[in-house]
PDB file of all heavy atoms in Angstrom:
ATOM      1  N   LEU J 672      46.243 -56.339 -48.647  1.00 98.00           N
ATOM      2  CA  LEU J 672      46.814 -55.510 -49.764  1.00 98.00           C
ATOM      3  C   LEU J 672      45.833 -55.403 -50.899  1.00 98.00           C
ATOM      4  O   LEU J 672      45.287 -56.523 -51.295  1.00 98.00           O
ATOM      5  CB  LEU J 672      48.140 -56.138 -50.135  1.00 98.00           C
ATOM      6  CG  LEU J 672      49.137 -56.492 -49.064  1.00 98.00           C
ATOM      7  CD1 LEU J 672      50.403 -57.040 -49.681  1.00 98.00           C
ATOM      8  CD2 LEU J 672      49.424 -55.308 -48.137  1.00 98.00           C
ATOM      9  N   ASN J 674      45.216 -54.537 -54.822  1.00 98.00           N
ATOM     10  CA  ASN J 674      45.832 -54.195 -56.118  1.00 98.00           C
ATOM     11  C   ASN J 674      44.757 -53.721 -57.043  1.00 98.00           C
ATOM     12  O   ASN J 674      43.929 -54.489 -57.452  1.00 98.00           O
ATOM     13  CB  ASN J 674      46.401 -55.589 -56.582  1.00 98.00           C
ATOM     14  CG  ASN J 674      46.957 -55.504 -58.002  1.00 98.00           C
ATOM     15  OD1 ASN J 674      47.056 -54.412 -58.601  1.00 98.00           O
ATOM     16  ND2 ASN J 674      47.294 -56.657 -58.574  1.00 98.00           N
ATOM     17  N   LYS J 676      45.090 -52.839 -60.024  1.00 98.00           N
ATOM     18  CA  LYS J 676      45.462 -53.143 -61.516  1.00 98.00           C
ATOM     19  C   LYS J 676      45.262 -51.836 -62.314  1.00 98.00           C
ATOM     20  O   LYS J 676      45.468 -50.772 -61.770  1.00 98.00           O
ATOM     21  CB  LYS J 676      44.609 -54.256 -61.948  1.00 98.00           C
ATOM     22  CG  LYS J 676      44.773 -55.549 -60.967  1.00 98.00           C
ATOM     23  CD  LYS J 676      44.088 -56.753 -61.526  1.00 98.00           C
ATOM     24  CE  LYS J 676      44.303 -57.889 -60.514  1.00 98.00           C
ATOM     25  NZ  LYS J 676      43.830 -59.186 -60.896  1.00 98.00           N
ATOM     26  N   ILE J 757      54.573 -55.067 -55.640  1.00 98.00           N
ATOM     27  CA  ILE J 757      54.165 -56.394 -56.023  1.00 98.00           C
ATOM     28  C   ILE J 757      55.107 -56.790 -57.161  1.00 98.00           C
ATOM     29  O   ILE J 757      55.453 -55.967 -58.062  1.00 98.00           O
ATOM     30  CB  ILE J 757      52.738 -56.400 -56.604  1.00 98.00           C
ATOM     31  CG1 ILE J 757      51.749 -55.954 -55.529  1.00 98.00           C
ATOM     32  CG2 ILE J 757      52.436 -57.771 -57.261  1.00 98.00           C
ATOM     33  CD1 ILE J 757      50.355 -55.728 -56.039  1.00 98.00           C
ATOM     34  N   HIS J 760      53.431 -60.764 -60.312  1.00 98.00           N
ATOM     35  CA  HIS J 760      52.026 -61.105 -60.461  1.00 98.00           C
ATOM     36  C   HIS J 760      51.850 -61.876 -61.750  1.00 98.00           C
ATOM     37  O   HIS J 760      52.457 -61.684 -62.764  1.00 98.00           O
ATOM     38  CB  HIS J 760      51.142 -59.817 -60.523  1.00 98.00           C
ATOM     39  CG  HIS J 760      49.774 -60.026 -60.384  1.00 98.00           C
ATOM     40  ND1 HIS J 760      48.972 -60.542 -61.474  1.00 98.00           N
ATOM     41  CD2 HIS J 760      48.888 -59.896 -59.332  1.00 98.00           C
ATOM     42  CE1 HIS J 760      47.712 -60.667 -61.102  1.00 98.00           C
ATOM     43  NE2 HIS J 760      47.710 -60.327 -59.785  1.00 98.00           N
ATOM     44  N   SER J 761      50.905 -62.869 -61.735  1.00 98.00           N
ATOM     45  CA  SER J 761      50.751 -63.782 -62.882  1.00 98.00           C
ATOM     46  C   SER J 761      50.326 -63.030 -64.196  1.00 98.00           C
ATOM     47  O   SER J 761      50.704 -63.498 -65.273  1.00 98.00           O
ATOM     48  CB  SER J 761      49.719 -64.887 -62.560  1.00 98.00           C
ATOM     49  OG  SER J 761      48.473 -64.373 -62.267  1.00 98.00           O
ATOM     50  N   GLU J 762      49.738 -61.849 -64.021  1.00 98.00           N
ATOM     51  CA  GLU J 762      49.433 -61.086 -65.174  1.00 98.00           C
ATOM     52  C   GLU J 762      50.653 -60.482 -65.835  1.00 98.00           C
ATOM     53  O   GLU J 762      50.774 -60.379 -67.021  1.00 98.00           O
ATOM     54  CB  GLU J 762      48.361 -59.976 -64.803  1.00 98.00           C
ATOM     55  CG  GLU J 762      47.039 -60.569 -64.505  1.00 98.00           C
ATOM     56  CD  GLU J 762      46.116 -59.638 -63.700  1.00 98.00           C
ATOM     57  OE1 GLU J 762      46.427 -58.522 -63.534  1.00 98.00           O
ATOM     58  OE2 GLU J 762      45.046 -60.203 -63.226  1.00 98.00           O
ATOM     59  N   CYS J 791      54.774 -62.700 -55.822  1.00 98.00           N
ATOM     60  CA  CYS J 791      53.652 -63.540 -56.214  1.00 98.00           C
ATOM     61  C   CYS J 791      54.120 -64.852 -56.849  1.00 98.00           C
ATOM     62  O   CYS J 791      54.982 -64.906 -57.749  1.00 98.00           O
ATOM     63  CB  CYS J 791      52.743 -62.877 -57.211  1.00 98.00           C
ATOM     64  SG  CYS J 791      52.039 -61.375 -56.619  1.00 98.00           S
ATOM     65  N   GLU J 809      48.906 -66.977 -55.367  1.00 98.00           N
ATOM     66  CA  GLU J 809      47.834 -66.709 -56.193  1.00 98.00           C
ATOM     67  C   GLU J 809      47.585 -67.759 -57.241  1.00 98.00           C
ATOM     68  O   GLU J 809      48.144 -67.704 -58.362  1.00 98.00           O
ATOM     69  CB  GLU J 809      48.008 -65.339 -56.796  1.00 98.00           C
ATOM     70  CG  GLU J 809      48.210 -64.240 -55.837  1.00 98.00           C
ATOM     71  CD  GLU J 809      47.686 -62.880 -56.365  1.00 98.00           C
ATOM     72  OE1 GLU J 809      48.127 -62.449 -57.441  1.00 98.00           O
ATOM     73  OE2 GLU J 809      46.779 -62.244 -55.760  1.00 98.00           O
ATOM     74  N   ALA J 813      41.938 -68.946 -59.676  1.00 98.00           N
ATOM     75  CA  ALA J 813      41.168 -68.193 -58.670  1.00 98.00           C
ATOM     76  C   ALA J 813      41.156 -66.675 -58.925  1.00 98.00           C
ATOM     77  O   ALA J 813      40.353 -65.933 -58.385  1.00 98.00           O
ATOM     78  CB  ALA J 813      41.608 -68.481 -57.302  1.00 98.00           C
ATOM     79  N   ILE J 814      42.117 -66.246 -59.826  1.00 97.00           N
ATOM     80  CA  ILE J 814      42.266 -64.757 -59.975  1.00 97.00           C
ATOM     81  C   ILE J 814      41.175 -64.220 -60.856  1.00 97.00           C
ATOM     82  O   ILE J 814      41.050 -64.599 -62.016  1.00 97.00           O
ATOM     83  CB  ILE J 814      43.572 -64.445 -60.523  1.00 97.00           C
ATOM     84  CG1 ILE J 814      44.702 -64.802 -59.530  1.00 97.00           C
ATOM     85  CG2 ILE J 814      43.719 -62.977 -60.854  1.00 97.00           C
ATOM     86  CD1 ILE J 814      46.109 -64.553 -60.044  1.00 97.00           C
ATOM     87  N   GLY J 815      40.400 -63.339 -60.313  1.00 95.00           N
ATOM     88  CA  GLY J 815      39.341 -62.592 -61.130  1.00 95.00           C
ATOM     89  C   GLY J 815      38.180 -63.483 -61.597  1.00 95.00           C
ATOM     90  O   GLY J 815      37.393 -63.077 -62.471  1.00 95.00           O
ATOM     91  N   THR J 816      38.096 -64.695 -61.102  1.00 96.00           N
ATOM     92  CA  THR J 816      37.071 -65.598 -61.583  1.00 96.00           C
ATOM     93  C   THR J 816      35.832 -65.754 -60.640  1.00 96.00           C
ATOM     94  O   THR J 816      34.808 -66.333 -61.031  1.00 96.00           O
ATOM     95  CB  THR J 816      37.644 -67.053 -61.687  1.00 96.00           C
ATOM     96  OG1 THR J 816      38.159 -67.422 -60.430  1.00 96.00           O
ATOM     97  CG2 THR J 816      38.771 -67.055 -62.713  1.00 96.00           C
ATOM     98  N   GLY J 817      35.992 -65.255 -59.394  1.00 96.00           N
ATOM     99  CA  GLY J 817      34.916 -65.431 -58.423  1.00 96.00           C
ATOM    100  C   GLY J 817      35.015 -66.837 -57.799  1.00 96.00           C
ATOM    101  O   GLY J 817      34.181 -67.142 -56.903  1.00 96.00           O
ATOM    102  N   GLY J 843      45.909 -64.815 -52.507  1.00 98.00           N
ATOM    103  CA  GLY J 843      45.092 -63.909 -53.451  1.00 98.00           C
ATOM    104  C   GLY J 843      44.389 -64.733 -54.444  1.00 98.00           C
ATOM    105  O   GLY J 843      44.781 -65.816 -54.936  1.00 98.00           O
ATOM    106  N   GLY J 844      43.161 -64.266 -54.794  1.00 98.00           N
ATOM    107  CA  GLY J 844      42.287 -64.961 -55.795  1.00 98.00           C
ATOM    108  C   GLY J 844      40.778 -64.952 -55.342  1.00 98.00           C
ATOM    109  O   GLY J 844      40.379 -65.829 -54.512  1.00 98.00           O
ATOM    110  N   SER J 845      40.069 -63.973 -55.818  1.00 98.00           N
ATOM    111  CA  SER J 845      38.677 -63.885 -55.572  1.00 98.00           C
ATOM    112  C   SER J 845      38.291 -63.792 -54.052  1.00 98.00           C
ATOM    113  O   SER J 845      37.261 -64.328 -53.601  1.00 98.00           O
ATOM    114  CB  SER J 845      37.919 -64.993 -56.263  1.00 98.00           C
ATOM    115  OG  SER J 845      38.126 -64.894 -57.677  1.00 98.00           O
ATOM    116  N   VAL J 846      39.190 -63.101 -53.327  1.00 98.00           N
ATOM    117  CA  VAL J 846      38.810 -62.863 -51.872  1.00 98.00           C
ATOM    118  C   VAL J 846      37.787 -61.762 -51.771  1.00 98.00           C
ATOM    119  O   VAL J 846      37.884 -60.734 -52.549  1.00 98.00           O
ATOM    120  CB  VAL J 846      40.112 -62.401 -51.100  1.00 98.00           C
ATOM    121  CG1 VAL J 846      39.732 -62.013 -49.688  1.00 98.00           C
ATOM    122  CG2 VAL J 846      41.153 -63.505 -51.077  1.00 98.00           C
ATOM    123  N   ASN J 847      36.786 -61.937 -50.980  1.00 97.00           N
ATOM    124  CA  ASN J 847      35.795 -60.889 -50.758  1.00 97.00           C
ATOM    125  C   ASN J 847      35.362 -60.820 -49.273  1.00 97.00           C
ATOM    126  O   ASN J 847      35.847 -61.600 -48.429  1.00 97.00           O
ATOM    127  CB  ASN J 847      34.601 -61.116 -51.675  1.00 97.00           C
ATOM    128  CG  ASN J 847      33.936 -62.441 -51.501  1.00 97.00           C
ATOM    129  OD1 ASN J 847      33.860 -62.890 -50.329  1.00 97.00           O
ATOM    130  ND2 ASN J 847      33.473 -63.062 -52.541  1.00 97.00           N
ATOM    131  N   LEU J 864      46.118 -60.634 -50.924  1.00 98.00           N
ATOM    132  CA  LEU J 864      46.352 -59.673 -51.982  1.00 98.00           C
ATOM    133  C   LEU J 864      45.015 -59.720 -52.763  1.00 98.00           C
ATOM    134  O   LEU J 864      44.600 -60.758 -53.268  1.00 98.00           O
ATOM    135  CB  LEU J 864      47.401 -60.142 -52.914  1.00 98.00           C
ATOM    136  CG  LEU J 864      47.814 -59.261 -54.067  1.00 98.00           C
ATOM    137  CD1 LEU J 864      48.042 -57.788 -53.592  1.00 98.00           C
ATOM    138  CD2 LEU J 864      49.047 -59.742 -54.769  1.00 98.00           C
ATOM    139  N   ILE J 865      44.314 -58.512 -52.708  1.00 98.00           N
ATOM    140  CA  ILE J 865      42.942 -58.453 -53.299  1.00 98.00           C
ATOM    141  C   ILE J 865      42.912 -57.671 -54.549  1.00 98.00           C
ATOM    142  O   ILE J 865      43.484 -56.611 -54.673  1.00 98.00           O
ATOM    143  CB  ILE J 865      42.061 -57.810 -52.258  1.00 98.00           C
ATOM    144  CG1 ILE J 865      42.103 -58.562 -50.907  1.00 98.00           C
ATOM    145  CG2 ILE J 865      40.628 -57.684 -52.706  1.00 98.00           C
ATOM    146  CD1 ILE J 865      41.764 -57.702 -49.704  1.00 98.00           C
ATOM    147  N   GLY J 866      42.153 -58.192 -55.580  1.00 98.00           N
ATOM    148  CA  GLY J 866      41.959 -57.413 -56.762  1.00 98.00           C
ATOM    149  C   GLY J 866      40.636 -56.735 -56.741  1.00 98.00           C
ATOM    150  O   GLY J 866      40.438 -55.639 -56.189  1.00 98.00           O
ATOM    151  N   LYS J 867      39.635 -57.360 -57.381  1.00 98.00           N
ATOM    152  CA  LYS J 867      38.338 -56.729 -57.637  1.00 98.00           C
ATOM    153  C   LYS J 867      37.742 -56.057 -56.395  1.00 98.00           C
ATOM    154  O   LYS J 867      37.247 -54.972 -56.419  1.00 98.00           O
ATOM    155  CB  LYS J 867      37.426 -57.822 -58.226  1.00 98.00           C
ATOM    156  CG  LYS J 867      36.162 -57.283 -58.789  1.00 98.00           C
ATOM    157  CD  LYS J 867      35.593 -58.317 -59.744  1.00 98.00           C
ATOM    158  CE  LYS J 867      34.264 -57.856 -60.326  1.00 98.00           C
ATOM    159  NZ  LYS J 867      33.129 -58.145 -59.373  1.00 98.00           N
ATOM    160  N   ALA J 868      37.714 -56.800 -55.258  1.00 98.00           N
ATOM    161  CA  ALA J 868      36.989 -56.282 -54.091  1.00 98.00           C
ATOM    162  C   ALA J 868      37.576 -55.066 -53.500  1.00 98.00           C
ATOM    163  O   ALA J 868      36.964 -54.348 -52.815  1.00 98.00           O
ATOM    164  CB  ALA J 868      36.943 -57.466 -53.042  1.00 98.00           C
ATOM    165  N   CYS J 869      38.889 -54.809 -53.808  1.00 98.00           N
ATOM    166  CA  CYS J 869      39.478 -53.605 -53.207  1.00 98.00           C
ATOM    167  C   CYS J 869      39.132 -52.321 -54.015  1.00 98.00           C
ATOM    168  O   CYS J 869      39.414 -51.208 -53.518  1.00 98.00           O
ATOM    169  CB  CYS J 869      40.924 -53.717 -53.087  1.00 98.00           C
ATOM    170  SG  CYS J 869      41.905 -53.448 -54.568  1.00 98.00           S
TER     171      CYS J 869
HETATM  172  P1  PGA L1050      40.961 -60.938 -57.650  1.00 72.64           P
HETATM  173  O1  PGA L1050      42.546 -60.496 -58.069  1.00 72.64           O
HETATM  174  O2  PGA L1050      40.822 -60.600 -56.145  1.00 72.64           O
HETATM  175  O3  PGA L1050      40.176 -59.946 -58.536  1.00 72.64           O
HETATM  176  O4  PGA L1050      40.764 -62.352 -57.888  1.00 72.64           O
HETATM  177  C1  PGA L1050      43.585 -60.998 -57.172  1.00 72.64           C
HETATM  178  C2  PGA L1050      44.896 -60.615 -57.783  1.00 72.64           C
HETATM  179  O5  PGA L1050      45.043 -60.620 -59.018  1.00 72.64           O
HETATM  180  O6  PGA L1050      45.900 -60.205 -57.011  1.00 72.64           O
END
Side-chain angles (χ1 to χ4, degrees):
L672 311 182
N674 174 10
K676 307 190 180 181
I757 298 171
H760 191 283
S761 60
E762 288 157 12
C791 298
E809 299 209 305
I814 296 178
T816 57
S845 299
V846 174
N847 59 38
L864 182 53
I865 302 159
K867 192 158 177 278
C869 80

